[in-house]
Amino acid sequence: MPINSSARRWWLAGLCCAVYALLWVGWVRDWGWLVSADTSMLAAGWRVGADHPAWVTFWDVWCTVFSPVVIRIATVGLIVYALRQRQVRTAVFLVVCVEMAAVLTELLKRLADRPRPATAMVDALSTSFPSGHALGTMAAALALGVVCLPKLRPNLRPWAVAATVVVVLTVGAGRVALNVHHPSDVVAGWAMGYVYFVLCLLILRGDRTGVTEADETPAMPGSAR
């Protein structure tokens, strides 16, 4: 029996939960392979940054411009627009998935309480696990994709998706390059960001302007159901 998109999405969310749990247990238990992977990648980033200050500045600016905070501020305008169009479910979905991801991030950080790498090259608040940048950009990118992609011309959608993927991946890589996060923090952030997005999709079930009840794929505005 073929698996529909909704089932695949939930299977992937379950896998992401397992990845998150594995990485959390791994650093708590001080697993050798995880420590080695984190340490080697941090050391590589530190060496490049120590020799090239402009490299550090670039990643600091990049991760600030595309930080979850900036994305959340920009999303406020979309939320207001959705409310003006009486698309209440879409507005609530964006509030929960994009804006309130910050609350989830802080809760998870407090539960894990992992210190930042000692070699951090820029200042960073709070603790390390999971990466708030990774979680926030992943959840926001997926949420904005569901809401905005149907409104773009079909020929522009692949470009929008490609640009979004680049931003999510490079922001996560930048946090490691700056040594403010272990690589495992970033992967855990991406994993939990996806899980949170899938849970938030339940808000849009049956909404004509968001995700269809049948397959949870974006619906074109004004399409009949």
Side-chain angles (χ1 to χ4, degrees), residues 211-225:
V211 176
T212 67
E213 188 170 323
D215 59 7
E216 294 185 357
T217 55
M220 289 298 294
S223 59
R225 294 291 177 197

Side-chain angles (χ1 to χ4, degrees), residues 26 30 33 37 52 57 63 80 85 91 93 114 123 133 135 142 154 160 175 177-178 187 189-190 208 210 216 221 223:
D30 208 26
W33 66 269
H52 304 89
T57 301
C63 292
V80 172
Q85 297 298 311
F93 169 70
R114 185 183 195 181
D123 293 332
H133 276 67
L135 192 159
L142 293 170
R175 302 307 282 171
L178 293 170
V187 175
W190 284 335
R208 294 170 183 263
E216 294 185 357
S223 59

Side-chain angles (χ1 to χ4, degrees), residues 19-224:
V19 168
Y20 183 89
L22 179 70
L23 293 173
W24 188 356
V25 173
W27 87 262
V28 170
R29 297 289 185 178
D30 208 26
W31 288 348
W33 66 269
L34 186 60
V35 172
S36 177
D38 280 345
T39 302
S40 61
M41 294 185 71
L42 285 174
W46 189 88
R47 287 193 297 269
V48 174
D51 293 337
H52 304 89
W55 180 252
V56 176
T57 301
F58 167 78
W59 282 116
D60 192 22
V61 171
W62 183 267
C63 292
T64 299
V65 171
F66 293 105
S67 69
V69 173
V70 173
I71 295 173
R72 287 170 192 140
I73 293 172
T75 303
V76 171
L78 189 57
I79 293 170
V80 172
Y81 174 79
L83 289 174
R84 288 175 62 88
Q85 297 298 311
R86 300 183 180 179
Q87 298 173 2
V88 178
R89 285 193 184 188
T90 298
V92 172
F93 169 70
L94 291 173
V95 169
V96 175
C97 196
V98 179
E99 309 297 337
M100 294 187 66
V103 177
L104 173 66
T105 298
E106 191 57 33
L107 174 62
L108 293 175
K109 283 179 175 290
R110 288 179 180 272
L111 289 174
D113 198 28
R114 185 183 195 181
R116 296 274 184 179
T119 53
M121 291 180 281
V122 295
D123 293 332
L125 301 175
S126 190
T127 52
S128 192
F129 186 97
S131 165
H133 276 67
L135 192 159
T137 54
M138 175 64 82
L142 293 170
L144 293 173
V146 164
V147 173
C148 297
L149 275 183
K151 297 177 172 60
L152 292 179
R153 289 184 297 177
N155 63 315
L156 294 179
R157 293 174 191 172
W159 295 101
V161 171
T164 301
V165 170
V166 168
V167 168
V168 171
L169 292 179
T170 55
V171 166
R175 302 307 282 171
V176 177
L178 293 170
N179 271 222
V180 291
H181 277 297
H182 308 87
S184 55
D185 300 334
V186 172
V187 175
W190 284 335
M192 189 52 63
Y194 181 82
V195 173
Y196 185 60
F197 160 74
V198 171
L199 291 174
C200 290
L201 272 180
L202 296 174
I203 297 171
L204 284 180
R205 280 189 178 274
D207 187 1
R208 294 170 183 263
T209 61
V211 176
T212 67
E213 188 170 323
D215 59 7
E216 294 185 357
T217 55
M220 289 298 294
S223 59

